[in-house]
Amino acid sequence: MPTFSYSQLFTFTESVFRSIGCPEEDATLATETLLSADLRGVDSHGVARLVGYVRLWEAGRINATPRVGVTYETPSTAVVDGDGGLGLVVGPKAMRVAIEKAQQVGTGWVSVKNSNHFGIAGYHAMLPLAHDMMGIAMTNASPLVAPTYSLDRLLGTNPIAVAVPAGEQPDFVLDMATTTAANGKLEIAQRKGLPLPEGWAQTADGQPSTDANAVKNGGALLPLGGATGSHKGYGLGAVVDIFSAVLSGANYGPWVPPFVAFLQPSANPVGQGLGHFFGAMRVDAFRPADEFKAHMDNWITTFRNAQAVEGKHVLIPGDPEREIAAHRLLDGIPLLDTVVHDLEGVGAKFGVKL
């Protein structure tokens, strides 16, 4: 599997975003957001999706020069209109609004409408960490998920991410889909020609399936919890949909526009674009930040040192991604041959060499 340095992929990706008309600042921001996924080992949401963003732009469904702005606000809350822009740009700008409000009044909560796919939720949740704040990020997504007992696809993978600052220990970063697996994991299995683990998907008639093409063939992804607890994942995914879209005025449920350009959005939308939800909470709005972070260090150390089953060790959310990022910054980011081929194709379109 070929590997590419972070700087090489950054230069290439930034050039592609500039080629579709993104201003320099937005192109840089979009690239940083997107490549954070590759660095952290979430290969399904990194440069493998660059071609998809370009296709959406070509289809007129992404505005490369959005005027992202606040349409409604209180001292601690806001609704942000993404003006059809890249979620990779709209998301960080909306989180900045949440951070600014938290700096003023202790917490900031922002719901977003009229956006697009924003990459990995963890990137956005981590932005408040530099300000001694806790971050929360959610987004709804293309309807590929069947609620418990349903044959209809009504929800997206609808991730939730929470980032908490620590002191001497690495920060706590939880980033998870509310499905058993994200759709990008199915795409990776398709590229590799591998079967799915049981509990990830169902067929069009509701039967369990290990076929990586089950969703493509009319089936659905399953909520977190699988055969005996999917009502929990369904409930979490529903919360994300409501906070991200019903609250902001974005599309929700089956009306969420698809990420793939060859599928058309609903002819009768109930809102505008995709929806996100962001939160920033100043730690010292609750207790002194140094005191809190010392106790977070103790919490993390206690859990990491817990007695583990033979051959295993207890992980803290964020540990695997942090270790992968350190490795990939040194040794490069591996890309599947199919992804390299796609990137070379989009590069040739704009005269940009990978």
Side-chain angles (χ1 to χ4, degrees):
M1 189 181 299
T3 60
F4 298 81
S5 70
Y6 177 79
S7 61
Q8 182 180 1
L9 289 178
F10 197 101
T11 299
F12 173 81
T13 304
E14 186 180 40
S15 296
V16 171
F17 281 132
R18 292 181 68 177
S19 294
I20 68 172
C22 292
E24 185 173 350
E25 180 182 340
D26 284 3
T28 301
L29 180 57
T31 301
E32 180 182 307
T33 308
L34 187 65
L35 290 187
S36 68
D38 294 291
L39 268 186
R40 294 176 67 78
V42 191
D43 299 331
S44 57
H45 284 57
V47 290
R49 295 217 170 208
L50 180 60
V51 175
Y53 291 112
V54 172
R55 287 172 178 161
L56 286 175
W57 170 77
E58 290 173 330
R61 287 172 49 194
I62 282 182
N63 177 7
T65 56
R67 298 182 66 179
V68 181
V70 174
T71 61
Y72 182 85
E73 65 181 325
T74 72
S76 63
T77 66
V79 173
V80 165
D81 187 330
D83 194 26
L86 283 162
L88 304 168
V89 171
V90 176
K93 290 186 176 183
M95 181 56 99
R96 286 178 198 165
V97 174
I99 291 170
E100 289 166 2
K101 289 186 174 294
Q103 288 170 331
Q104 296 298 316
V105 297
T107 66
W109 305 97
V110 175
S111 196
V112 180
K113 64 180 178 180
N114 206 6
S115 186
N116 284 281
H117 190 279
F118 76 177
I120 59 169
Y123 172 83
H124 307 284
M126 292 169 66
L127 292 175
L129 293 175
H131 305 275
D132 274 353
M133 296 181 187
M134 294 177 278
I136 296 174
M138 308 178 192
T139 184
N140 67 1
S142 308
L144 299 172
V145 182
T148 304
Y149 304 135
S150 174
L151 295 179
D152 294 330
R153 305 194 302 200
L154 298 177
L155 289 171
T157 53
N158 294 10
I160 298 171
V162 179
V164 182
E168 299 298 323
Q169 292 294 319
D171 300 320
F172 175 106
V173 182
L174 171 73
D175 185 356
M176 54 172 261
T178 53
T179 48
T180 305
N183 185 51
K185 299 290 178 66
L186 270 70
E187 294 170 351
I188 291 174
Q190 290 162 12
R191 295 187 191 111
K192 293 183 175 181
L194 298 174
L196 302 179
E198 292 183 6
W200 282 25
Q202 69 181 27
T203 62
D205 58 358
Q207 298 303 307
S209 177
T210 59
D211 180 1
N213 294 299
V215 178
K216 275 187 174 181
N217 295 332
L221 289 170
L222 295 176
L224 181 67
T228 59
S230 67
H231 59 287
K232 296 180 180 180
Y234 166 33
L236 290 171
V239 167
V240 173
D241 203 31
I242 293 166
F243 278 35
S244 299
V246 180
L247 195 58
S248 68
N251 287 293
Y252 48 82
W255 292 279
V256 176
F259 179 75
V260 291
F262 61 83
L263 293 177
Q264 293 300 310
S266 170
N268 299 294
V270 292
Q272 294 177 282
L274 217 68
H276 319 309
F277 185 79
F278 301 107
M281 295 180 286
R282 219 171 64 211
V283 169
D284 67 3
F286 298 88
R287 68 188 298 188
D290 289 345
E291 180 181 291
F292 170 83
K293 290 194 288 185
H295 279 279
M296 272 304 300
D297 284 349
N298 185 45
W299 189 97
I300 290 169
T301 302
T302 300
F303 277 72
R304 186 174 282 129
N305 292 337
Q307 185 174 351
V309 298
E310 186 176 353
K312 302 290 184 180
H313 63 280
V314 178
L315 295 171
I316 304 301
D319 279 351
E321 295 88 347
R322 176 176 49 81
E323 292 169 6
I324 291 172
H327 174 75
R328 289 188 170 185
L329 278 173
L330 287 175
D331 299 330
I333 296 169
L335 298 180
L336 294 171
D337 289 336
T338 51
V339 173
V340 174
H341 180 265
D342 286 346
L343 293 178
E344 289 174 340
V346 79
K349 185 178 297 185
F350 298 113
V352 179
K353 186 172 176 60
L354 180 61

